[in-house]
Amino acid sequence: MTLRVLGVDPGLTRCGIGVVDVEKNRRATMVAFGVVGTSPEESLDQRLLVIATSIDEWLDQYEPHVLAVERVFSQLNVSTVMGVAQASGVVIAAAARRGIPVALHTPSEVKAAVTGSGTSNKDAVTKLVTKILRLDAPPRPADAADALALAITHAWRAGSGAAVATTGPGSLSLTPAQRAWADAEAKARRAR
């Protein structure tokens, strides 16, 4: 069975979206990618509405099995973190309305899964995403490449049983071993 994952690199100004199909042998194929952009001159409610409407369209068109979203992490710029968190909430709620499970992955988890190093830069991630998906050109902008990397990461980790959906109906179908692994991962993240 092929797993379809919609990855989202959330942000208010640029929200990267990417869809990949991943086979059991880990072969990943790009389905679509793009960026939803909003202007800082628009009001917050209008910016979130644009993101909500766009994610609804992507979910309806591509019907993913799971959504992979970048986990909000602490930065020095509080307003940036707030915007990312607000965009993430809109995306997660859209998936929840459809009963689509949602998994959260940190940037370092994504970098490690795609490049082998949790400290890789955006160029390295884009280069490996291009190679993994057998693309003729790198996906641009970097937000779209990051969304594709999130989707690949989730599919690869879910296939190994290491990471699974953390919300939604799919999280209930875990084996006892997968549930124990997911619980241990969640506990380790909370301890950070």
Side-chain angles (χ1 to χ4, degrees):
M1 180 183 141
T2 300
L3 178 67
R4 176 163 287 182
V5 184
L6 191 150
V8 179
D9 180 26
L12 276 178
T13 303
R14 287 182 319 274
C15 185
I17 304 174
V19 182
V20 296
D21 284 343
V22 181
E23 300 168 34
K24 283 191 177 215
N25 66 2
R26 296 173 47 114
R27 180 179 167 95
T29 303
M30 191 274 300
V31 176
F33 68 86
V35 173
V36 177
T38 67
S39 170
E41 283 78 42
E42 292 181 62
S43 64
L44 176 62
D45 59 330
Q46 290 305 304
R47 295 177 82 183
L48 292 173
L49 180 60
V50 167
I51 293 168
T53 301
S54 295
I55 198 67
D56 283 340
E57 290 168 359
W58 279 77
L59 292 171
D60 291 343
Q61 182 173 354
Y62 296 105
E63 300 179 341
H65 300 113
V66 64
L67 211 75
V69 181
E70 183 176 286
R71 181 182 297 275
V72 178
F73 64 101
S74 178
Q75 294 177 326
L76 297 176
N77 187 342
V78 175
S79 64
T80 300
V81 171
M82 289 300 296
V84 170
Q86 291 162 332
S88 294
V90 166
V91 168
I92 292 167
R97 279 192 299 275
R98 291 165 175 76
I100 300 170
V102 177
L104 303 173
H105 299 283
T106 66
S108 59
E109 288 173 329
V110 174
K111 292 173 186 176
V114 173
T115 70
S117 170
T119 60
S120 295
N121 63 28
K122 281 192 175 285
D123 289 338
V125 171
T126 299
K127 182 178 178 180
L128 268 295
V129 164
T130 303
K131 182 177 180 177
I132 291 164
L133 296 174
R134 302 166 316 282
L135 303 175
D136 294 332
R140 297 280 182 220
D143 308 275
D146 289 348
L148 290 167
L150 275 153
I152 293 165
T153 297
H154 181 75
W156 284 0
R157 295 189 75 198
S160 70
V164 292
T166 56
T167 65
S171 62
L172 301 177
S173 62
L174 305 178
T175 67
Q178 288 173 324
R179 201 170 12 263
W181 183 274
D183 291 344
E185 266 194 335
K187 187 176 181 180
R189 283 192 192 107
R190 286 191 301 269
R192 290 182 196 157

